């Protein structure tokens, strides 16, 4: 009986060890399922440049945007824009002049703190802006896409690298437009309605063709350029804008210049005195 009892105990111990081993193997297999061929890992997906250049972000904590900043959060969506008027041209230089409205449009690039200050100043006065962003800026500051939209403003495409697009080959120009469109789509769910060529006021026929191939049906030009990117001073910027501002105007400004931020309250006050209100380009052309 003693021998039989010991045999039973040894058998039970072997059975328990076997069961534990099987359970451990099953757990490890489940943990590595995501690494199987055919399961796309995060590293295998197309990454923004600021992520691709830092494959081990844990070694540099806080250096890059969090996933919450670089991707649209659940429940967030791109604000819908009104439909454009049927007679809206391919390239918009000025909008309809029958309403007391104009569009303040901005080159989207520069210090995010300066850009945020500009957006806040506009919002405090009920102005809505159109920001044509440079794609490489969104790679560095992805959170700005949602910041702009959440303020009630509008986003558009100003190429990926802000080079002289008119001097490019058609395939190069198309790639410049498409790369920025992809960033906008990834960050906001929409590539935006408007495209503005880089380093040019007007789009050449080649650039128009490439923009349409990417999916942009409208180019956004402008009729007022106060040259604020030359930093002439806030008073000069405001005076240049207000001298020419009229119903339907499209003004070209730049986010990354402190003089523009300083000038904005005076610009908006001056527009109010003229009975004009700043709206998005889509609202202007609706």
């Amino acid at each position: 009986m003693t021998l039989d009892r010991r045999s039973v105990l040894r058998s039970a111990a072997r059975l328990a060890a076997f069961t534990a081993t099987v359970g451990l193997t099953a757990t490890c297999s489940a943990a590595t399922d995501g690494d199987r061929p055919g399961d796309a890992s995060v590293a295998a997906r197309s990454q923004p440049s600021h992520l691709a250049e830092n494959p081990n972000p844990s070694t540099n904590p806080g250096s890059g945007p969090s996933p919450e900043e670089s991707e649209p959060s659940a429940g967030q969506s791109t604000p819908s824009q009104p439909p454009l008027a049927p007679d809206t041209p391919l390239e918009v230089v000025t909008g309809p002049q029958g309403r007391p409205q104009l569009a303040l449009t901005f080159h989207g690039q520069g210090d995010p703190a300066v850009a945020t200050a500009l957006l806040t100043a506009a919002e405090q006065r009920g102005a809505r802006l159109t920001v044509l962003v440079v794609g490489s800026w969104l790679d560095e500051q992805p959170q700005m896409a949602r910041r702009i939209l959440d303020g009630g403003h509008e986003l558009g495409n100003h190429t990926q690298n802000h080079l002289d697009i008119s001097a490019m080959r058609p395939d190069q120009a198309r790639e410049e437009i498409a790369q920025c469109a992809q960033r906008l789509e990834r960050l906001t769910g929409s590539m935006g309605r408007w495209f503005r060529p880089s380093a040019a006021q007007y789009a050449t026929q080649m650039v128009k063709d490439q923009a349409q191939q990417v999916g942009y049906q409208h180019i956004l030009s402008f009729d007022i350029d106060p040259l604020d990117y030359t930093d002439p001073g806030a008073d000069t910027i405001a005076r240049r804008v207000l001298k020419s501002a009229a119903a339907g105007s499209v003004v070209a400004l730049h986010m990354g210049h402190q003089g523009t931020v300083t000038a904005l309250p005076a610009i908006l006050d001056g527009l109010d005195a003229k009975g004009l209100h700043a709206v998005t380009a889509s609202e202007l052309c609706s």
Side-chain angles (χ1 to χ4, degrees):
M1 290 298 293
T2 302
L3 181 59
D4 290 342
R5 185 172 180 273
R6 289 176 179 173
S7 297
V8 170
L9 290 174
R10 282 197 298 269
S11 298
R14 284 196 296 269
L15 179 60
F18 175 77
T19 301
T21 301
V22 171
L24 179 61
T25 302
T27 302
C28 292
S29 298
T32 58
D33 279 350
D35 296 329
R36 292 176 181 172
D39 288 342
S41 66
V42 171
R45 299 173 193 154
S46 176
Q47 295 293 307
S49 60
H50 67 275
L51 296 181
E53 291 169 4
N54 186 18
N56 187 17
S58 62
T59 63
N60 190 14
S63 63
S66 68
E68 289 78 13
E69 292 175 322
S70 61
E71 299 294 344
S73 302
Q76 289 182 327
S77 61
T78 304
S80 59
Q81 293 292 342
L84 301 184
D87 58 350
T88 301
L90 169 61
E91 183 165 36
V92 173
V93 179
T94 61
Q97 300 174 356
R99 292 172 293 189
Q101 300 175 337
L102 84 172
L104 299 180
T105 69
F106 287 81
H107 169 113
Q109 199 173 25
D111 184 343
V114 175
T116 299
L118 186 142
L119 294 169
T120 300
E123 291 153 12
Q124 288 173 343
R125 290 163 175 78
R128 290 183 294 278
L129 315 177
T130 297
V131 182
L132 293 309
V133 290
V134 176
S136 58
W137 185 57
L138 290 183
D139 288 341
E140 299 170 355
Q141 307 294 338
Q143 76 283 0
M144 290 305 301
R146 287 266 29 127
R147 172 62 185 88
I148 292 165
L149 291 179
D150 290 346
H153 312 292
E154 182 176 30
L155 272 174
N157 182 326
H158 199 31
T159 76
Q160 177 63 20
N161 297 296
H162 202 260
L163 304 174
D164 184 357
I165 194 169
S166 303
M168 296 179 182
R169 298 193 313 267
D171 61 316
Q172 293 174 323
R174 184 170 62 254
E175 186 66 13
E176 275 288 302
I177 301 167
Q179 285 186 20
C180 185
Q182 290 162 5
R183 270 103 178 132
L184 287 166
E185 181 78 33
R186 184 184 71 242
L187 292 170
T188 71
S190 169
M191 68 178 192
R193 169 176 278 162
W194 302 101
F195 167 71
R196 172 172 287 171
S198 50
Q201 180 175 0
Y202 305 110
T204 65
Q205 188 59 52
M206 179 274 290
V207 172
K208 291 177 182 177
D209 291 343
Q210 302 313 310
Q212 287 184 300
Q213 286 192 35
V214 174
Y216 290 99
Q217 299 306 310
H218 295 283
I219 312 294
L220 185 61
S221 182
F222 49 89
D223 64 316
I224 298 177
D225 183 3
L227 303 178
D228 62 324
Y229 58 89
T230 64
D231 297 317
D235 291 343
T236 299
I237 295 169
R239 184 174 67 253
R240 289 174 178 174
V241 171
L242 295 172
K243 178 182 178 180
S244 303
S249 292
V250 179
V251 185
L253 293 159
H254 294 71
M255 295 188 83
H257 293 258
Q258 184 57 51
T260 305
V261 179
T262 304
L264 187 60
I267 290 173
L268 295 174
D269 288 344
L271 293 177
D272 284 343
K274 286 189 165 193
L276 298 172
H277 186 64
V279 298
T280 66
S282 287
E283 291 175 294
L284 181 67
C285 296
S286 65

